[in-house]
Amino acid sequence: MQERNEPEWLAELPLTGGPVVRFRHVRPDDEPLITDAIRTASRETLLHRFFSPIRSVSPSMLRQMLAIDRAKETCIVGVTKEQGAARMVCGARYVKLPAGEAAEFAITVHDDFQRRGLGKFLLKLLAGLAVAEGIQRFEADVMNSNQKMLNLFRKATSSRAGWHRTEDIHHVVLELSTLTNQESGLIP
Ligand SMILES: CC(C)(COP(=O)(O)OP(=O)(O)OC[C@H]1O[C@@H](n2cnc3c(N)ncnc32)[C@H](O)[C@@H]1OP(=O)(O)O)[C@@H](O)C(=O)NCCC(=O)NCCS
């Protein structure tokens, strides 16, 4: 839910050749946009994001995705306008871990918009918001088959401290101080 005095748009990124993607916190009325994004995503994207090739989400899971307790978690989405209609093209979320200095983190970019810089941009944008809340690092479990995400993380940091690999996943740790020196993309 948008909070009082909070500007709706956090940032925007004009993609080369269009369109412009605008970023804001997720809202409960985003349900149809998220449902559509999941319905039209590839099996691989859904598998890598949810660790299961879901095609739709149950009403209870949707409610959980949209009812954000901002004291504990942050979820931002990227939206375009196509022929006057809004489309959700990407999203990213972090959930604070109990100690409060770290958060679990995930990004999703719709297949139609991948490899155009949105993943990199979302990581910086979310890192800027997390640092402002006192969070020092992001942690994520990434499937070993998910080379796209692993490449993104490898490029984002030179440190592999805390990274470990099991049979199925990489546990990845990103120290945010190493990321946020760059332009965050936040609209002042
Ligand atoms: C992983 C993901 C978020 C990347 O988003 P994206 O917008 O395509 O990423 P970007 O365009 O910003 O690319 C950033 C870097 O990621 C890596 N990358 C992205 N797509 C890649 C691909 N197809 N092959 C190899 N590396 C790739 C590259 O290192 C790239 O940097 P480069 O373009 O300078 O080489 C996107 O593919 C996705 O949503 N995948 C499905 C969901 C998922 O896996 N989420 C992660 C859960 S933790």
Side-chain angles (χ1 to χ4, degrees):
M1 182 87 67
Q2 194 178 332
E3 288 178 359
R4 196 185 296 195
N5 297 330
E6 182 179 73
E8 180 174 27
W9 300 111
L10 297 165
E12 60 181 37
L13 179 67
L15 298 180
T16 308
V20 176
V21 182
R22 293 195 168 83
F23 300 86
R24 59 166 169 75
H25 289 275
V26 78
R27 304 187 302 235
D29 65 356
D30 281 328
E31 186 179 326
L33 297 186
I34 291 196
T35 304
D36 205 47
I38 291 174
R39 186 182 55 78
T40 57
S42 71
R43 186 182 184 281
E44 181 190 79
T45 287
L46 296 171
L47 177 66
H48 284 157
R49 172 60 183 87
F50 296 105
F51 289 42
S52 159
I54 61 165
R55 181 51 65 196
S56 63
V57 286
S58 65
S60 68
M61 191 173 163
L62 256 182
R63 269 197 303 277
Q64 202 186 322
M65 288 167 86
L66 294 169
I68 301 295
D69 176 353
R70 293 270 288 274
K72 295 183 185 151
E73 60 186 310
T74 293
C75 177
I76 57 176
V77 293
V79 180
T80 60
K81 271 259 179 309
E82 290 182 5
Q83 286 143 18
R87 178 172 179 191
M88 191 177 288
V89 300
C90 58
R93 161 187 308 252
Y94 64 79
V95 181
K96 289 180 195 169
L97 291 167
E101 292 169 359
E104 248 178 48
F105 164 79
I107 307 179
T108 315
V109 177
H110 191 280
D111 299 79
D112 296 347
F113 290 82
Q114 288 180 9
R115 210 69 201 258
R116 300 183 70 187
L118 279 169
K120 236 183 301 188
F121 190 85
L122 276 168
L123 176 57
K124 279 194 287 180
L125 183 56
L126 215 60
L129 296 175
V131 166
E133 283 204 290
I135 293 167
Q136 293 170 19
R137 60 187 172 279
F138 279 155
E139 302 193 11
D141 285 335
V142 183
M143 291 175 79
N144 290 337
S145 60
N146 192 354
Q147 285 306 315
K148 299 176 184 178
M149 193 72 206
L150 290 169
N151 283 347
L152 193 157
F153 283 152
R154 285 188 191 109
K155 281 200 170 167
T157 179
S158 53
S159 164
R160 301 281 184 279
W163 289 42
H164 60 262
R165 185 190 165 127
T166 66
E167 197 181 327
D168 302 317
I169 62 142
H170 263 78
H171 183 76
V172 171
V173 177
L174 293 179
E175 291 298 334
L176 300 186
S177 59
T178 66
L179 306 176
T180 47
N181 299 333
Q182 308 160 47
E183 185 70 36
S184 76
L186 284 171
I187 287 175

